[in-house]
């Protein structure tokens, strides 16, 4: 059982930056591909970014490519999402999730993920 706790959300203005953090309880944290998803009110959850167990491969949704950066520190059981040049359309609850390595192919499919955090709100004002 992996417990995930997100932090770092808040209210910012368009163009600002935020860094989200996700702390994992499991010491086998490095055995998981980690992802970030988001969900705005009235919309479906959408994939944002993912990173493989060693951090050597990263994936991004087209909507955030070039603005967001995902990273991880396996020694600290942490994964991060650096969000730059934020836009009002980035407003959502952001969720951290863990995906068993053998399912990494489906990194952008939330239904494949095994564990989820409770989410952190990001609000970007115009």
């Amino acid at each position: 059982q992996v417990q995930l706790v997100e932090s770092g959300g808040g209210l910012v203005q368009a163009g600002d930056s935020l860094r989200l953090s996700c702390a994992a309880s499991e010491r086998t944290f490095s055995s998981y591909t980690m992802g970030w998803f988001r969900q705005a009110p009235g919309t479906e959850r959408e994939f944002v970014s993912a990173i493989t167990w060693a951090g050597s491969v990263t994936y991004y949704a087209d909507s955030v490519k070039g603005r967001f950066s995902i990273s991880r520190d396996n020694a600290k059981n942490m994964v991060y999402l650096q969000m730059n040049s934020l836009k009002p359309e980035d407003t959502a609850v952001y969720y951290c999730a863990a995906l068993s390595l053998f399912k990494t192919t489906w990194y952008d499919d939330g239904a494949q993920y095994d564990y989820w955090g409770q989410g952190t709100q990001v609000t970007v004002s115009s």
Side-chain angles (χ1 to χ4, degrees), residues 2-126:
V2 179
Q3 294 183 329
L4 303 172
V5 179
E6 302 95 335
S7 62
L11 172 63
V12 296
Q13 293 186 331
D16 286 350
S17 298
L18 274 178
R19 189 176 84 151
L20 303 184
S21 299
C22 174
S25 63
E26 178 60 49
R27 60 181 176 176
T28 59
F29 170 73
S30 61
S31 300
Y32 294 89
T33 289
M34 297 299 296
W36 287 95
F37 289 76
R38 66 187 182 186
Q39 187 168 22
T43 69
E44 293 187 353
R45 180 179 60 198
E46 65 171 350
F47 168 75
V48 175
S49 183
I51 186 168
T52 54
W53 70 275
S56 56
V57 181
T58 56
Y59 306 96
Y60 296 95
D62 288 342
S63 59
V64 306
K65 202 170 293 183
R67 299 188 298 122
F68 290 12
S69 178
I70 190 171
S71 61
R72 67 190 294 165
D73 185 339
N74 288 340
K76 296 181 179 179
N77 286 4
M78 296 291 295
V79 63
Y80 306 99
L81 185 68
Q82 178 66 44
M83 306 186 295
N84 299 327
S85 302
L86 283 162
K87 304 176 180 179
E89 52 263 44
D90 294 319
T91 295
V93 177
Y94 283 71
Y95 297 92
C96 172
L99 177 69
S100 296
L101 289 182
F102 73 96
K103 294 191 286 183
T104 296
T105 299
W106 299 282
Y107 63 87
D108 59 351
D109 181 357
Q112 298 295 330
Y113 280 71
D114 301 286
Y115 303 102
W116 291 84
Q118 83 290 347
T120 186
Q121 176 70 47
V122 172
T123 303
V124 185
S125 63
S126 57

